[in-house]
Amino acid sequence: MATQENIVEKHMSINITVSRGNNLQGKQVNNFRSFLQVEVDRVVLGTSDKKPFDPEEQCVVYDFTCSFHCSSDTQALSDIAHKPIILMVTEVLSEEKRAEEKTTVLGQAVVDLLPLLQGQCSFSLKVPLNPLTSSLAKESSHGFNLKQPTLDVCVSVLDPVLSESERSSCSLLKVSVETAFSVPESWMLPSGPAPSPCSYTAALEVPLTAEKDQVLVFCEGQLKPGGQREENSRQKKRPHQSLLVPENHFLPGAFFQAEPIEQEDGELTGLEDREFRNEAETTKKRVSWDTEMCCLLDRGGTTRLQQMISESRLWPVEIMRLLTPFEKAIETKQVRQLTEGNPEIPFHGVAFVDMGQLLYPGVSRIRGAYSIQPFSEAELLNKANRSVSVLKEYVKDAAIQAKARASSATGSPKGKSGRNMDARISKELTKKIRTSAADSGTDGQNQTELRVNIEGNMYLEARTYIIIEIALEKPLVPKTSPEELAQRVKALIPPRPPLPAGPSRAERAVMDFHRQVGNVVSHVSDQYKELFGASSRTHLEDCSQEQMMVQLMAMLNVSGRYFTFKEQMKPAVVRIVRDKLQRTEPISDPQELQAFVSKLYVYLVDEMHVALNKIYSEDIDDDSPDEIHLNSSQLRHFAKEAQLTGDYQQAAQYCQELVVRHPSEPSHMFECGSLYMLTGDYMKAKECFHAAVSIQQAHQPSLMMCGVLAVMFEHYKEAQTFLERATNIDPHSVVAWTLLGLVHERKNEHILAESACLEAKRQLRAKEAKNEIQKEEEKTDKQEEGKTATPAHQGSTANQNSEFVDQVSEMHKEPSAQSIGSRSAPTKLSSTIYTETVQFLLQNNALQMAEHALSQELLCSDDGHSVSYLVHLAQLQMLKADYSSAAVNLKQALIHKDQDADVWALNGHCHYLRGEPHVAQHSYKQSLCLPQQPSDSHLVLLRLGSIYLQQEKFEQAKVVYLQACEQSPSCLTWLGLGIACYRLEELCVAEDAFIQANRLNTQNAEVWAYLSLISLRTGKPKEAEHFYKCAVRFNLQKDSLLKELNELKDHLRFSHLASCFARCSQAGV
C-alpha cells in the first residue's frame, strides 16, 4: 500500500498512433512507398506496413498504432520527462524477389511525453519530420515541394498518469546547463571540419523520492571559439542528442532569456566582475551545452530536496573533459583506468550552486554564474557535506557496464543491453554513494587528497565559470496569498464596525426645509424691525396684532420680499415631495391631487412649527464669538511641538482631540500610539496601533508597528503576519521588508531572513536608481533653461568662445553614455536597508527594535561607523537620556559631515538638554546659516530663542521668535515673542502676542501670568486679578514668574497707599 509520499505503483500502457505523413517526398516520384518505425529509449516499439503515397491528398496514410508498457514509479516517470518518442520514416527504393530491399531514411520526428505528466490523458500534434543531415535538407529545398514534412501523431493513455492528489504533490524539476566561459587556454579547437576529439560533461545529483536519487548528466558540451556573444534568445536543447538528428536537438518553445548581471542569483555579479565577464563572454573560448533536463519529484522527493537544501545550501555540479567522446572513452583502453578503485578524472572541476534561494517564499527558479574550481573531496565535504564524487561514480559504473557488454554473449537482441541503462546506473550509483559515505574515514581518501589536481587548477588560472539554471514547477515554500494574509490580520484585529451613516435623502430634504424656514424667519424679523422699530410697544397699544400683521404683509408684498421668499422655498418643497413623500409622477385625477395637496400642506405646517421651535428654543447655547477652532493641521503641529518639548500630557490631549474629530482616520490613532511608545506605555501604544488597523485594515505604518510590538512581546507568529501583510500592501517598502527580515532572524530562520533582506536591497537599489534619473532630468532641464535664457546680444561672445563650447560639449558626451548605463542601478548604494528602517523606528520611538537594527547596520557596514550610523545612534542615546554618549557620536559625525543642517541641529538639541546653552547656541546658529534649513527648524528656533531669553539678549530673542511665528505659529512662539517684547518694555506688542498665544492655547499658565503682569502695569487691576487666578488654576510652575507677580502687586499696592497718604496730607493742609 502506498504511503502519502509515494506514487501508487502500477503498470500503464502508452499508445502512440501515427495517422498520416504530410508533404513527404522521396526519390521515387511515381512509386513512392515508405514505412514508419517507432522507438523509445533505443527500444523499437513497432514498424508499420509499407504504405504508398496518395498524390491527391499529398500524404501517406499510415494508421499505425503501437504501445509500450511503463511502470508508474517515480524513476520511470522521470525518464518519461526527458526521453522522447522517436519516429523514423524510411523510403523503400526497390522490391525484388529473393533479394534484399533497398531503403533510405527520409527523416526523423520527435514527440515529448511531458504533457502526460502535466495531467493530459491524450494529446495530438503535428510534428516536423527532419532529414538526417543538413545536406538532405538543402537538396529537398531545391525541389518543387517547399512545405515542411510533418507527421500527425496522437499519444494517449487510458487513465491519467498521475492522479489529482499525486499531481498536486509532485513537482517537475528542470536543470539547464548553458555555457562555461573563460575555459583553460590549453583546450584547443579542432582544425577544419573534423569533429572535436574531446567530450565535455557536467553532472549533478538530485533527489527523486524520499530514498532514491538521480544523476543528471550533460555530456554533449561543444567547445566554441570566442569573438562574439552567445545569442540571447537561443533555443534550449534536448538531452540524449546522439540519438537525434541535428534539427531535433531543440526543445520546441523553450528559449534562454537574457537578464542583467545584477539580477542573477549566482556569483560574479559585483561591479568589479562585470568587466571580466564582458570580456570572457565576448572574446574567450567557451564550452556550450544549452541543454535542459527534466525529472519528476514526488512528495517525498520534494520534501527531501527542501530538507537537503536546509542542511547544505551548496550543491556540487561536477565538470570533466575526456580526450575522446564519452561513449568511446568507456569502450577503449580508458576502461581500465576508469574502473580503478579511485579513478582520476581528467580536468575534474566542481562548481557549487547556492540552492538556498529556492527556499525563499514563492521562488521557483534560480539562474546565475558559478565559478569552477579544482575538485577536492575535502572541499566537497566541507562545503556541500558530501564525501563522494558523483561524476567519478557515474563514469566508473558506465565503464563497468561497457566492459560487461563487451564480454557478454552475442545472442541478446539489439538494444536490449542498453535499455534503461541510465536508470540502472542511477540506482547503483545511489547505493555506491551511500556505501562509500559510510567508509569515508578510510586511508584511501587521505591518499586521494594528497594528489594534486594539476588540470583542475587551470580552472582557477582561467577564472572559468559556468551558467546554470534550476527551475521547479512549484516553489518549495509557497508564498502566502494577499487574501490569506488579509484574513489572518482580520482574525487578529477585527475591523471596526462602520460608523452610522449620514442622513438619508428624505432627512436631508426635511433639514433643508428647516433651514429655509429659518432664513425666512430671519428676513421677516428684519422687516418687522424696519417697519415698527423701537416703537413696537406703542403700536401694540394703538392697533391690534392682526392690524400689525396686515401692515407687515403689505410691506412684504410692496417690497417684493414675499415673492422672493416663495421662490426660495420652492426647491425645498419640491425635495420634500420627491424624497420624503416619494411622489415623482404627475397626478391626473383632480380629487387625488386635492387630497395630496391637503396632505402636503398639513405636513409642511407641522415641519414649520418644528423649525420655529428649534429657532426660538432657549436650550441651544450659542458658541462664543471669541472661540478659535483649530484645524487638524494646527492640532498635529501643536501635538508634535508638545511632544518635542516634553509636554506629553498636552500632546496626548491634542492627539485625542484629533481622534475625536476624525474617527475614521487611522493616522491620528497611529500618532497616539507613537506618543505612548515614547512614554513607555506599550500596552496603550498597542491598543492605538490595533485601533488604527481596525479602522483601516491596509494601513501599512500601523501594521509595521503592530509587528514591532509583537516582537517586543515575543509573539513572533503575529509579527510575521503583520509584516508580511505590510510588504504585500506596499511591495516597494524597504522598511517593511527589512523588519520582516529582522523578525525571521529572531526566529533563527536565516534563509527567510536573507530572502527578505535581499528584497529590501533590491527595492532600495531601484529607489536610488529612480532618484538618480530624476536628478539627471532636473539637471538637464536646468541646463536647457539656461541655454534658452541666454541674451541675443551675447551672440558675438558665443562665437568668440566657440572652441571652448566645443570642448565642453565633448566633455559631456562621454558621461552621458555612462549615465544611461548607470540608470539601471547606482554604482554604490548611498545607504543601507537598515538606515531607513532605523529612521522609521526612531520616529515612532521603538527603541528596542531600533537598537537591534543599528547593530545590523554596523555589521553590514564596510567602512566602519558611517555618518548615518553615528547620527542614528546619537538619536537613540538621546531618547534614552544618555546625552554624554550622544555628544561624542555627534562630534565624530560633524567631522565627516559639517555641512548638514540636521546634524548641527541634533548636536544643538543634545547640548541644550545637557544644560550647555553656549554650545547649543553655536550649533543652532550654524544649522540656520546653512543653505538647506534643518528639518526641525521650528524646535531649533524655539530653543535658540529660549537661550537668548536666558542670556537676556531680548532683541535677538525677538528676531528669532518673530521668524518662528512667521514660519509655524504656535502658542509657544507667540509666548516667546511676547516675553521678549515685554522685557523690552514694548507692552502693546507684548500684549498682542500674549493674546494670540492665549487664543491658540487657553490652558497655558505662563501666558495668563504675563497677561496679568501687563494688566497690572497698564492699570487694569480687575483683569490682572482674573488672569492671575487663571494662571494659578492651570498650575503655574515657574517660581520666578510667581515671585515677579507678587512683587509687582506689592509695589503697586504700596504705591497706591502712598498716593492716598499724599492726598490726605494735602487735604489736611
Side-chain angles (χ1 to χ4, degrees):
M1 187 173 181
T3 64
Q4 195 177 24
E5 291 185 349
N6 295 332
I7 296 174
V8 178
E9 293 191 7
K10 59 185 178 182
H11 289 277
M12 57 184 175
S13 178
I14 299 178
N15 303 314
I16 302 103
T17 300
V18 182
S19 57
R20 54 188 281 175
N22 307 299
N23 305 319
L24 301 182
Q25 185 177 8
K27 293 185 178 180
Q28 296 184 356
V29 179
N30 297 327
N31 190 22
F32 172 48
R33 303 181 68 197
S34 63
F35 64 89
L36 184 74
Q37 180 176 293
V38 184
E39 66 176 77
V40 173
D41 195 15
R42 300 183 181 179
V43 176
V44 176
L45 303 181
T47 305
S48 71
D49 296 334
K50 303 177 183 66
K51 298 291 184 177
F53 179 75
D54 187 349
E56 294 182 1
E57 296 292 335
Q58 289 293 310
C59 68
V60 176
V61 179
Y62 291 109
D63 284 335
F64 174 68
T65 300
C66 61
S67 62
F68 70 97
H69 295 281
C70 177
S71 174
S72 63
D73 67 327
T74 307
Q75 180 66 61
L77 295 180
S78 186
D79 291 341
I80 287 178
H82 61 83
K83 292 182 178 179
I85 298 172
I86 300 176
L87 309 173
M88 300 289 291
V89 176
T90 305
E91 180 185 3
V92 180
L93 296 179
S94 64
E95 185 176 359
E96 299 178 359
K97 295 181 179 180
R98 300 178 183 178
E100 294 183 358
E101 292 180 340
K102 292 183 179 181
T103 61
T104 180
V105 177
L106 291 181
Q108 182 192 72
V110 176
V111 178
D112 293 307
L113 298 177
L114 193 59
L116 296 179
L117 300 179
Q118 295 172 337
Q120 299 185 32
C121 289
S122 65
F123 61 92
S124 301
L125 67 164
K126 194 182 294 289
V127 292
L129 185 70
N130 293 307
L132 297 184
T133 61
S134 58
S135 61
L136 292 177
K138 291 180 181 179
E139 291 178 5
S140 63
S141 65
H142 293 301
F144 296 101
N145 191 358
L146 299 178
K147 295 183 179 180
Q148 170 72 49
T150 59
L151 297 177
D152 293 343
V153 184
C154 177
V155 179
S156 62
V157 290
L158 186 61
D159 298 316
V161 174
L162 297 172
S163 64
E164 286 296 328
S165 59
E166 291 171 343
R167 180 81 187 90
S168 61
S169 61
C170 294
S171 183
L172 289 171
L173 173 66
K174 296 180 180 180
V175 180
S176 300
V177 177
E178 298 185 24
T179 308
F181 292 100
S182 188
V183 297
E185 291 294 333
S186 61
W187 293 5
M188 302 300 293
L189 289 163
S191 59
S196 175
C198 301
S199 66
Y200 304 89
T201 305
L204 77 157
E205 185 183 44
V206 295
L208 291 184
T209 66
E211 299 177 352
K212 296 180 181 179
D213 297 325
Q214 182 173 5
V215 179
L216 303 181
V217 180
F218 301 82
C219 53
E220 288 92 5
Q222 299 293 326
L223 183 64
K224 293 183 178 181
Q228 61 182 4
R229 286 185 174 273
E230 295 289 315
E231 295 181 6
N232 289 333
S233 300
R234 60 192 185 280
Q235 200 166 2
K236 296 183 179 181
K237 296 179 182 179
R238 292 185 173 94
H240 315 293
Q241 297 168 18
S242 60
L243 304 177
L244 306 176
V245 302
E247 294 298 325
N248 287 334
H249 288 178
F250 301 98
L251 284 167
F255 297 90
F256 291 107
Q257 299 298 330
E259 58 187 18
I261 292 177
E262 60 270 12
Q263 294 182 9
E264 292 181 355
D265 304 307
E267 307 165 9
L268 303 174
T269 57
L271 294 172
E272 65 278 4
D273 301 314
R274 295 183 187 178
E275 183 178 354
F276 162 71
R277 285 191 59 177
N278 182 54
E279 180 185 0
E281 294 174 16
T282 306
T283 62
K284 294 187 177 182
K285 290 182 290 187
R286 75 284 311 267
V287 174
S288 176
W289 285 271
D290 287 346
T291 302
E292 177 183 278
M293 289 191 72
C294 182
C295 57
L296 180 70
L297 280 63
D298 66 2
R299 178 176 297 179
T302 304
T303 305
R304 186 156 160 258
L305 175 64
Q306 187 172 352
Q307 181 182 357
M308 291 175 68
I309 295 175
S310 300
E311 294 172 355
S312 177
R313 298 179 52 158
L314 299 179
W315 284 43
V317 177
E318 299 180 37
I319 295 97
M320 73 172 180
R321 171 181 180 257
L322 293 178
L323 294 178
T324 56
F326 184 72
E327 292 81 0
K328 294 182 180 180
I330 61 176
E331 296 176 359
T332 59
K333 63 181 181 179
Q334 294 187 16
V335 170
R336 190 189 312 165
Q337 301 173 359
L338 297 174
T339 54
E340 293 176 354
N342 191 7
E344 195 68 32
I345 303 295
F347 287 96
H348 194 183
V350 60
F352 291 98
V353 178
D354 186 357
M355 301 275 281
Q357 297 188 37
L358 289 177
L359 296 186
Y360 292 177
V363 173
S364 60
R365 172 185 175 270
I366 59 173
R367 177 186 178 274
Y370 302 92
S371 299
I372 300 176
Q373 53 189 283
F375 178 83
S376 167
E377 292 188 1
E379 197 75 10
L380 187 70
L381 182 63
N382 182 36
K383 289 188 175 181
N385 199 22
R386 303 189 186 191
S387 56
V388 176
S389 166
V390 171
L391 196 53
K392 283 185 179 181
E393 294 299 324
Y394 182 83
V395 170
K396 189 175 178 181
D397 284 357
I400 293 173
Q401 292 286 340
K403 188 175 181 181
R405 287 197 302 269
S407 59
S408 62
T410 58
S412 60
K414 184 179 179 181
K416 186 175 181 180
S417 61
R419 184 174 183 179
N420 293 331
M421 183 185 72
D422 292 338
R424 291 198 302 272
I425 290 175
S426 177
K427 293 177 182 178
E428 293 175 8
L429 174 59
T430 303
K431 296 178 182 178
K432 285 182 175 289
I433 289 176
R434 290 175 180 166
T435 305
S436 302
D439 301 333
S440 60
T442 61
D443 296 336
Q445 178 181 350
N446 295 331
Q447 294 176 0
T448 304
E449 291 300 317
L450 295 176
R451 300 180 185 178
V452 180
N453 189 352
I454 300 176
E455 294 175 333
N457 285 331
M458 294 183 181
Y459 291 124
L460 294 179
E461 297 173 0
R463 297 183 64 185
T464 308
Y465 62 92
I466 186 170
I467 296 180
I468 298 173
E469 177 184 338
I470 299 176
L472 284 160
E473 183 184 16
K474 292 174 286 191
L476 295 174
V477 181
K479 193 171 185 178
T480 311
S481 65
E483 294 77 16
E484 185 177 350
L485 285 173
Q487 288 298 323
R488 291 181 187 177
V489 172
K490 188 176 181 179
L492 293 172
I493 306 176
R496 192 181 67 179
L499 296 175
S504 63
R505 293 185 63 181
E507 292 172 340
R508 289 198 299 271
V510 175
M511 292 168 61
D512 184 51
F513 178 75
H514 289 175
R515 281 195 298 270
Q516 295 299 332
V517 170
N519 292 335
V520 171
V521 169
S522 176
H523 288 92
V524 171
S525 299
D526 294 340
Q527 187 69 45
Y528 180 84
K529 292 178 181 178
E530 292 179 8
L531 183 61
F532 302 106
S535 60
S536 58
R537 292 185 180 180
T538 307
H539 283 284
L540 285 173
E541 296 174 357
D542 297 340
C543 59
S544 64
Q545 187 175 1
E546 288 77 9
Q547 293 174 341
M548 294 178 65
M549 179 69 70
V550 170
Q551 294 181 27
L552 179 61
M553 290 299 296
M555 182 60 66
L556 290 174
N557 282 314
V558 170
S559 63
R561 290 188 177 184
Y562 183 76
F563 177 77
T564 303
F565 294 157
K566 287 198 301 182
E567 292 299 321
Q568 290 178 354
M569 294 294 294
K570 276 183 181 179
V573 175
V574 168
R575 280 191 286 270
I576 290 284
V577 173
R578 182 187 62 197
D579 298 331
K580 182 65 179 178
L581 303 181
Q582 300 292 318
R583 295 304 297 258
T584 57
E585 299 294 332
I587 302 174
S588 57
D589 187 1
Q591 294 182 355
E592 184 181 356
L593 178 61
Q594 183 63 35
F596 175 74
V597 170
S598 300
K599 178 182 177 182
L600 175 62
Y601 176 77
V602 172
Y603 180 79
L604 292 176
V605 170
D606 291 341
E607 290 299 326
M608 180 189 67
H609 290 154
V610 172
L612 292 174
N613 290 333
K614 285 182 179 180
I615 294 170
Y616 294 106
S617 176
E618 297 179 354
D619 298 332
I620 300 177
D621 296 331
D622 294 333
D623 293 334
S624 174
D626 296 331
E627 184 179 355
I628 297 295
H629 292 280
L630 301 176
N631 56 41
S632 299
S633 61
Q634 285 178 310
L635 288 173
R636 294 183 71 176
H637 172 55
F638 297 163
K640 188 66 176 177
E641 180 189 64
Q643 177 181 331
L644 292 173
T645 55
D647 192 354
Y648 303 131
Q649 184 178 0
Q650 186 69 38
Q653 290 179 3
Y654 285 128
C655 289
Q656 290 167 4
E657 186 172 351
L658 281 168
V659 171
V660 172
R661 284 193 187 184
H662 308 282
S664 300
E665 179 54 52
S667 61
H668 301 318
M669 193 65 75
F670 175 79
E671 290 167 358
C672 283
S674 299
L675 177 62
Y676 286 123
M677 289 289 292
L678 180 61
T679 59
D681 195 345
Y682 299 122
M683 292 305 298
K684 282 190 177 180
K686 181 180 177 180
E687 292 176 5
C688 290
F689 293 133
H690 280 225
V693 175
S694 69
I695 294 171
Q696 183 179 335
Q697 294 274 297
H699 192 247
Q700 196 207 28
S702 297
L703 286 169
M704 290 193 290
M705 287 306 299
C706 285
V708 170
L709 279 170
V711 172
M712 293 175 61
F713 292 117
E714 296 185 355
H715 300 159
Y716 296 116
K717 189 174 181 181
E718 293 182 10
Q720 182 177 342
T721 299
F722 289 131
L723 293 171
E724 284 184 354
R725 178 60 177 155
T727 59
N728 183 262
I729 292 170
D730 183 9
H732 305 295
S733 173
V734 177
V735 176
W737 283 112
T738 307
L739 289 175
L740 181 60
L742 293 176
V743 171
H744 285 305
E745 186 186 358
R746 287 282 187 97
K747 297 171 65 179
N748 292 323
E749 297 172 344
H750 301 297
I751 291 181
L752 294 178
E754 180 185 291
S755 168
C757 291
L758 281 177
E759 183 62 28
K761 290 178 182 177
R762 190 177 296 114
Q763 297 302 331
L764 179 61
R765 189 174 290 108
K767 180 180 177 181
E768 293 199 356
K770 184 179 180 181
N771 292 337
E772 285 187 5
I773 293 174
Q774 290 178 350
K775 289 180 181 178
E776 290 176 5
E777 291 177 349
E778 291 175 0
K779 186 177 179 181
T780 304
D781 293 341
K782 289 181 179 178
Q783 291 177 352
E784 291 179 354
E785 289 177 1
K787 291 178 181 178
T788 55
T790 303
H793 67 271
Q794 294 183 359
S796 59
T797 307
N799 293 330
Q800 293 174 2
N801 296 332
S802 60
E803 295 181 0
F804 174 75
V805 173
D806 293 338
Q807 292 176 3
V808 172
S809 62
E810 289 297 325
M811 290 171 61
H812 285 285
K813 283 181 182 178
E814 186 175 356
S816 63
Q818 295 175 356
S819 64
I820 293 173
S822 67
R823 290 185 178 185
S824 60
T827 56
K828 186 178 180 181
L829 293 175
S830 61
S831 61
T832 67
I833 59 174
Y834 301 104
T835 305
E836 291 188 24
T837 306
V838 171
Q839 188 174 354
F840 171 80
L841 294 171
L842 290 176
Q843 285 175 352
N844 296 287
N845 308 302
L847 306 187
Q848 182 180 348
M849 197 64 142
E851 189 170 6
H852 181 53
L854 269 175
S855 64
Q856 295 299 318
E857 182 178 359
L858 182 61
L859 289 175
C860 72
S861 177
D862 298 331
D863 303 328
H865 293 178
S866 63
V867 175
S868 63
Y869 171 79
L870 292 171
V871 172
H872 288 147
L873 180 60
Q875 287 178 317
L876 177 64
Q877 291 165 341
M878 288 174 62
L879 289 171
K880 290 183 174 182
D882 186 4
Y883 303 120
S884 299
S885 301
V888 173
N889 290 318
L890 288 171
K891 182 178 180 181
Q892 190 174 354
L894 284 171
I895 295 174
H896 303 284
K897 205 170 186 180
D898 60 348
Q899 296 298 313
D900 193 319
D902 286 332
V903 180
W904 279 110
L906 190 63
N907 188 62
H909 298 328
C910 180
H911 288 285
Y912 181 87
L913 295 172
R914 287 186 71 185
E916 299 174 351
H918 294 286
V919 182
Q921 175 186 341
H922 171 72
S923 297
Y924 287 146
K925 290 173 66 177
Q926 191 69 26
S927 68
L928 294 172
C929 290
L930 293 172
Q932 185 176 2
Q933 294 293 296
S935 56
D936 59 344
S937 60
H938 180 76
L939 184 62
V940 171
L941 293 172
L942 279 179
R943 287 180 170 171
L944 180 59
S946 68
I947 292 173
Y948 283 140
L949 289 179
Q950 293 173 14
Q951 297 173 350
E952 297 185 358
K953 298 178 180 179
F954 302 121
E955 284 288 352
Q956 293 168 303
K958 177 182 176 182
V959 172
V960 171
Y961 279 119
L962 190 59
Q963 182 181 352
C965 290
E966 291 174 353
Q967 289 184 1
S968 50
S970 68
C971 174
L972 296 184
T973 60
W974 286 113
L975 173 62
L977 179 62
I979 294 173
C981 293
Y982 178 80
R983 299 304 176 188
L984 292 171
E985 298 297 329
E986 300 175 3
L987 299 183
C988 292
V989 180
E991 185 178 12
D992 291 341
F994 290 133
I995 290 173
Q996 290 296 329
N998 186 259
R999 288 163 71 90
L1000 294 177
N1001 183 7
T1002 58
Q1003 298 181 6
N1004 190 299
E1006 196 170 349
V1007 174
W1008 289 112
Y1010 275 105
L1011 284 172
S1012 179
L1013 283 173
I1014 292 178
S1015 298
L1016 287 172
R1017 296 189 61 177
T1018 55
K1020 302 173 184 176
K1022 292 184 178 180
E1023 293 181 7
E1025 187 64 24
H1026 171 70
F1027 294 151
Y1028 177 78
K1029 289 180 180 180
C1030 290
V1032 174
R1033 185 176 65 186
F1034 292 119
N1035 194 18
L1036 180 62
Q1037 297 288 335
K1038 207 167 184 179
D1039 295 334
S1040 61
L1041 195 54
L1042 278 171
K1043 182 179 179 182
E1044 184 177 1
L1045 269 170
N1046 292 327
E1047 289 178 353
L1048 183 58
K1049 283 183 180 180
D1050 294 340
H1051 175 71
L1052 292 176
R1053 188 179 302 114
F1054 290 139
S1055 298
H1056 178 67
L1057 290 174
S1059 63
C1060 289
F1061 287 140
R1063 285 196 300 270
C1064 291
S1065 61
Q1066 290 176 2
V1069 174

